[in-house]
Amino acid sequence: EDPARAQTAYRQVLELDPTEERAVDSLQALYSEMEDWENLIEVLTMRASLHPEEDADLKLLSGDLLEGKLEEPMKAAELYEELIAYDPTAREAFDRLERIYTEHEVWDRLVETYDRLLSVTAEDDMRVDLLRKLALLSESVLDNGDAAADYFQQILDLRPDDLETIAALERLYEEQDRFDDLVLVLRRTVQLADSVREKVSYLEKIAEISASRLDDLHSAILAYKEILEHDPAHVETLRRLEELFGE
């Protein structure tokens, strides 16, 4: 059989009746045999219109062809975007988008992809993983410290004792001169610190920020008094309290 003539005949059938499934099946088999990937993708789209329940699988298959055979990953990404637009839980499509956007450094689209997946993810561990990716991407690649801090704060809401996140927020808030937020984070570190030395160190920082950055002598004095509860003979704290009461 002449493949060209067969192709023409089947397409003529579909012009008369786009729902003629046997013609679609025959063209799919023909283009696969001919390795005519572009036309095969077109036929897969036709098939999806006849079988909406297969649409997700057919989009993934077309994406495979675009990536592997035609070397057009961004066109494949368009298909995956279409898929998650009506099925936000299509994890395979998300995974492929993550890979494509990372490999091609399309960072803004990668952030959108993570945010979209986050909006439909209920499980805490998965949310923490996505939020951490968003935070690191925002800080390291997009140079958006405010967004990074917001994502880290969302992690802390889920994992209040996450020391890695607390350290990241401490760094970001200090860089951004967000001293009120920094004091709140340092308060968490005091609660989580294992040793008296660590607690004293963090409380000293709280006291110093309160006094010199926030002009809040009352909070500074309370922090120093708290140090004395842990270490009544702490010489530097006694000296600073004497200075503050003198002021």
Side-chain angles (χ1 to χ4, degrees):
E1 185 179 356
D2 183 347
R5 290 180 62 186
Q7 175 187 175
T8 300
Y10 293 136
R11 283 197 171 274
Q12 287 174 343
V13 170
L14 288 173
E15 286 178 9
L16 295 172
D17 183 4
T19 65
E20 176 50 62
E21 190 165 350
R22 285 176 297 179
V24 172
D25 291 342
S26 298
L27 279 174
Q28 183 175 341
L30 180 62
Y31 289 139
S32 294
E33 185 179 342
M34 295 170 60
E35 299 186 355
D36 186 343
W37 309 122
E38 290 185 357
N39 277 317
L40 177 56
I41 290 169
E42 180 187 354
V43 171
L44 293 175
T45 303
M46 294 180 190
R47 183 175 184 82
S49 67
L50 297 175
H51 295 280
E53 73 280 2
E54 297 180 16
D55 186 62
D57 290 336
L58 292 169
K59 275 187 167 58
L60 292 174
L61 177 55
S62 295
D64 283 334
L65 294 172
L66 284 165
E67 290 191 70
K69 301 298 184 181
L70 297 176
E71 297 183 355
E72 295 189 64
M74 300 314 296
K75 284 189 176 181
E78 291 176 10
L79 285 180
Y80 305 145
E81 290 279 8
E82 290 176 13
L83 177 52
I84 63 175
Y86 64 80
D87 182 8
T89 63
R91 188 55 192 256
E92 176 66 21
F94 274 109
D95 291 343
R96 294 186 184 194
L97 284 171
E98 180 181 29
R99 173 175 48 75
I100 290 171
Y101 291 150
T102 300
E103 288 177 357
H104 296 273
E105 299 184 355
V106 189
W107 305 123
D108 56 337
R109 301 303 296 273
L110 182 58
V111 167
E112 291 173 9
T113 299
Y114 286 149
D115 271 327
R116 189 179 295 181
L117 182 55
L118 184 65
S119 71
V120 297
T121 300
E123 203 274 318
D124 281 356
D125 286 344
M126 288 183 62
R127 290 184 63 82
V128 168
D129 181 59
L130 286 167
L131 287 165
R132 200 176 303 282
K133 288 179 179 179
L134 281 161
L136 295 174
L137 187 60
S138 297
E139 182 181 8
S140 303
V141 178
L142 301 178
D143 196 26
N144 188 340
D146 287 337
D150 179 64
Y151 289 125
F152 278 126
Q153 186 59 57
Q154 290 182 63
I155 294 174
L156 209 57
D157 292 339
L158 295 170
R159 298 282 186 269
D161 57 350
D162 190 312
L163 295 176
E164 180 182 350
T165 298
I166 290 172
L169 279 171
E170 183 180 347
R171 183 187 70 254
L172 285 167
Y173 287 152
E174 194 157 13
E175 290 174 358
Q176 297 165 15
D177 292 344
R178 294 170 59 176
F179 297 112
D180 285 310
D181 291 324
L182 177 57
V183 166
L184 291 175
V185 170
L186 289 171
R187 274 289 169 192
R188 286 186 187 245
T189 62
V190 172
Q191 295 171 2
L192 296 172
D194 293 325
S195 67
V196 169
R197 178 179 294 180
E198 287 179 308
K199 289 181 184 293
V200 167
S201 175
Y202 290 126
L203 285 166
E204 282 183 309
K205 194 166 186 178
I206 290 171
E208 181 61 27
I209 292 169
S210 297
S212 63
R213 296 291 190 170
L214 298 176
D215 197 24
D216 184 355
L217 297 184
H218 177 70
S219 293
I221 289 170
L222 288 178
Y224 283 128
K225 285 184 175 180
E226 193 172 342
I227 291 174
L228 294 178
E229 292 175 7
H230 295 289
D231 183 359
H234 196 268
V235 175
E236 180 61 21
T237 295
L238 293 170
R239 186 186 67 79
R240 287 293 293 136
L241 280 173
E242 185 178 351
E243 290 177 355
L244 289 174
F245 280 121
E247 295 176 6

